[in-house]
């Protein structure tokens, strides 16, 4: 076998490892709040997330990866295809190892930022400072602040509104029936907009925000009417009013968690498969273009890796995010999911490489702070933030080391 074939085989294995770690860390976040709020068990979360992420990766995942280099480097400035291939492999291996370390220590990190740091590392070594898109890197750093801050503010406001309009009212059940259609309609509208603008399949419809501004109110009105028809079944007459209200938000929380799982499978599979697709293209054409066709079998490899990762190690990060930062119930958990999904939708459409992990953790902190600063475990939060800050430099440094070792040995 020639060097191209060897590295393609190694890249597929490394891509599977990256997908495994992505499932164990990033994807576990999609179910963490539902598990922490006891809407579902860990076993149910693993089953739901595993199946839905695989479906999202294979059936909704991008058939064409247009941002192979994540926009961090300009691959056209690296003329030797072998060097670029070895660099992409080093980046994939480096990112996978860092996410694995974070997972084993039960701390959530961003696979997107791990790949960004890794590609930055080998690109800087090969092409020098001019090959790096420093503006894009600045957006990554900015997202460390913006993502959790947006998530915290939105989730905190949502939870405060639920408390004010439902939980703190004397006739809680009556207020819940009054406001339930609104929250259900708003949730479905958020899922609808996220599907249009966040999944590769939705993006292929080429709808603009102007189009969505017409469709969103129609979707909201339809689901508001449907929810009004079934509100008495959704919130039955019971003696324990608070349990009935929590039951409503439990249903919505499971629904939003399921959507996030499908969406993550569709979007995050590119973090594992994108560099593999680049190596596949280099091995086939001896060149790297700005976009690459992703074979279906690669998406299946990524989907299987994600599913296996959440099944084997997903419980670690789920426990940290779902229960160690603050105590969650279903109304708090719903606010967390809503805040995280809204943050990802808004920030990604502003062109920011936003991390679902950062948005989820920020949303959990926002809900915790809404109940008082004493409700948040700032010790575990400090460890999480420290890992976020270390992600890009550690991924870059390890990518440089792996790349240099491979270059001295092979090239």
């Amino acid at each position: 076998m020639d060097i191209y074939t060897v590295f393609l085989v190694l890249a597929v294995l490394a891509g599977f490892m990256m997908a495994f770690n992505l499932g164990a860390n990033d994807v576990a976040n999609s179910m963490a709040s539902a598990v922490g709020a006891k809407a579902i068990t860990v076993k149910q979360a693993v089953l739901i997330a595993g199946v839905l992420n695989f479906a999202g990766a294979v059936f909704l995942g991008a058939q064409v990866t247009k941002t192979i280099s994540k926009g961090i480097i300009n691959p056209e400035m690296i003329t030797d295809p072998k060097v670029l291939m070895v660099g992409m492999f080093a980046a994939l291996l480096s990112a996978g190892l860092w996410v694995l370390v974070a997972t084993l220590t039960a701390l959530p990190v961003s696979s997107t930022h791990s790949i960004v740091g890794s590609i930055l590392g080998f690109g800087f070594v090969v092409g020098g400072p001019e090959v790096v898109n420093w503006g894009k890197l600045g957006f990554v750093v900015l997202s460390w602040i913006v993502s959790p801050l947006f998530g915290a503010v939105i989730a905190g406001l949502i939870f405060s509104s639920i408390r004010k309009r439902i939980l703190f009212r004397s006739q809680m059940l009556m207020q819940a029936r009054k406001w339930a259609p609104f929250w259900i309609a708003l949730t479905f509208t958020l899922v609808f907009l996220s599907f249009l603008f966040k999944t590769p399949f939705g993006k292929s419809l080429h709808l603009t925000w102007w189009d969505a501004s017409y469709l969103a109110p129609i979707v909201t009105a339809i689901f508001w009417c449907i929810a009004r028809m079934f509100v008495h079944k959704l919130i039955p007459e019971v003696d324990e009013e608070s349990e009935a209200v929590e039951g409503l938000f439990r249903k919505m929380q499971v629904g939003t968690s399921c959507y996030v799982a499908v969406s993550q499978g569709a979007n995050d599979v590119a973090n594992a498969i994108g560099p593999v697709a680049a190596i596949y293209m280099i091995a086939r054409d001896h060149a790297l273009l700005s976009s690459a066709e992703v074979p279906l079998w690669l998406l299946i490899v990524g989907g299987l890796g994600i599913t296996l990762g959440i099944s084997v190690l997903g419980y670690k990060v789920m426990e940290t995010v779902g229960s160690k930062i603050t105590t969650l119930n279903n109304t708090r958990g719903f606010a967390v999911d809503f805040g995280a999904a809204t943050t990802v939708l808004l920030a990604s459409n502003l062109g920011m490489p936003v991390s679902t992990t950062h948005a989820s953790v920020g949303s959990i902190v926002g809900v915790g702070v809404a109940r008082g600063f004493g409700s948040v475990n700032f010790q575990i939060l400090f460890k999480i933030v420290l890992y976020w800050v270390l992600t890009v430099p550690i991924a870059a440094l390890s990518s440089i080391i792996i790349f240099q070792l491979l270059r001295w040995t092979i090239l």
Side-chain angles (χ1 to χ4, degrees), residues 131-144:
V131 83
V132 178
N133 184 342
W134 295 104
K136 186 78 170 182
L137 183 62
F139 262 125
V140 172
V141 174
L142 185 63
S143 73
W144 294 342

Side-chain angles (χ1 to χ4, degrees), residues 31-41 44 155 158-159 162-163 166-167 183 187 241-257 322 326-339 364 367 371:
M31 291 289 161
S33 61
V35 171
K38 295 181 174 56
I40 52 178
T41 65
Q44 289 172 328
I158 293 292
F159 178 58
I162 292 170
R163 286 203 303 179
I166 300 175
L167 301 181
W183 289 114
T187 300
E241 292 188 346
S242 61
E243 181 57 35
V245 174
E246 290 294 326
L248 167 69
F249 284 97
R250 183 182 302 121
K251 295 181 180 74
M252 289 198 288
Q253 190 186 3
V254 172
T256 52
S257 295
T326 193
T327 304
L328 295 176
N329 59 15
N330 298 122
T331 47
R332 297 167 202 160
F334 168 76
V336 167
D337 287 347
F338 197 95
I364 289 172
V367 168
R371 297 165 49 234

